[in-house]
Amino acid sequence: LIGNSYGAQVVGRALLAGVRADRVLLTGSPGVDPSVHSAAQITPPGTLLFVARTPGDYVSYAQQHGPDPADFPDVFRIETNRGEVKIGGHMSYFRNNSESLRNVGRIIKGHLAGVSRAARTTPEQESKLLPGVSWAEPLRRLAASNAAAPISKAFDGLAAFKAVSLPAKKKALDGKPNR
């Protein structure tokens, strides 16, 4: 069972309601529920909870629906940035040839011994601007404010607009760069 972004919250809520799975993966989670602080609260014994958070993932940092599962003490946090393809932010967990996507495949196939584990880092460490200054905590405060919903809708609209408005790149028919 895999949940990405707000899908991670949906998966978490389904687990709370009794849905069962052999393995669960949550990526870029805004939190499951404010009362959930560990994998043991949402998964039955023997069910592994894998989580991923990339550096700069504003949705995970905001913790709009509870603590980010990547910070739970009893989860397996998967590596996202080993190798040549580096990912960051919220929209890249399934980027081709990334360690993140390789780990997703290993989890799906049940090759759990091959899943690489990420170091335990905090949002404050991952979003450090200057010594002692991080943008994670101000983002959490913003997410808890009345401005959160309009900002979220504006971001979603801009992301959708960008996806539809970018023209496709054309290849030259003769193999030479466009003139």
Side-chain angles (χ1 to χ4, degrees):
L1 190 55
I2 299 173
N4 179 57
S5 189
Y6 287 97
Q9 182 196 21
V10 172
V11 167
R13 293 288 181 142
L15 293 167
L16 284 170
V19 169
R20 297 293 172 241
D22 294 333
R23 297 174 296 280
V24 178
L25 170 63
L26 306 178
T27 61
S29 177
V32 172
D33 184 270
S35 67
V36 176
H37 298 276
S38 72
Q41 290 178 272
I42 58 174
T43 57
T47 299
L48 292 173
L49 178 59
F50 296 92
V51 296
R53 179 178 66 217
T54 64
D57 187 342
Y58 53 89
V59 171
S60 293
Y61 297 162
Q63 299 183 4
Q64 197 166 11
H65 298 285
D68 178 9
D71 292 329
F72 292 174
D74 55 346
V75 297
F76 188 114
R77 185 165 170 197
I78 68 170
E79 177 63 57
T80 57
N81 278 314
R82 185 177 294 164
E84 291 183 26
V85 178
K86 304 294 181 198
I87 64 172
H90 185 66
M91 310 284 271
S92 57
Y93 289 96
F94 302 98
R95 186 170 173 202
N96 282 343
N97 299 315
S98 69
E99 184 66 7
S100 179
L101 185 58
R102 285 187 186 98
N103 276 328
V104 170
R106 292 171 187 136
I107 293 166
I108 290 170
K109 290 179 182 179
H111 297 153
L112 305 183
V115 178
S116 55
R117 186 180 291 267
R120 289 237 176 232
T121 55
T122 65
E124 288 71 25
Q125 291 168 319
E126 295 168 15
S127 62
K128 186 190 251 182
L129 298 172
L130 299 168
V133 179
S134 157
W135 55 272
E137 185 54 38
L139 185 60
R140 276 189 211 110
R141 278 186 256 135
L142 176 63
S145 75
N146 292 334
I151 290 171
S152 174
K153 287 180 193 235
F155 175 80
D156 291 346
L158 288 173
F161 179 73
K162 180 182 173 188
V164 228
S165 66
L166 293 177
K169 292 183 181 179
K170 295 180 182 178
K171 285 188 173 182
L173 296 176
D174 62 2
K176 295 179 183 178
N178 292 340
R179 296 175 198 146

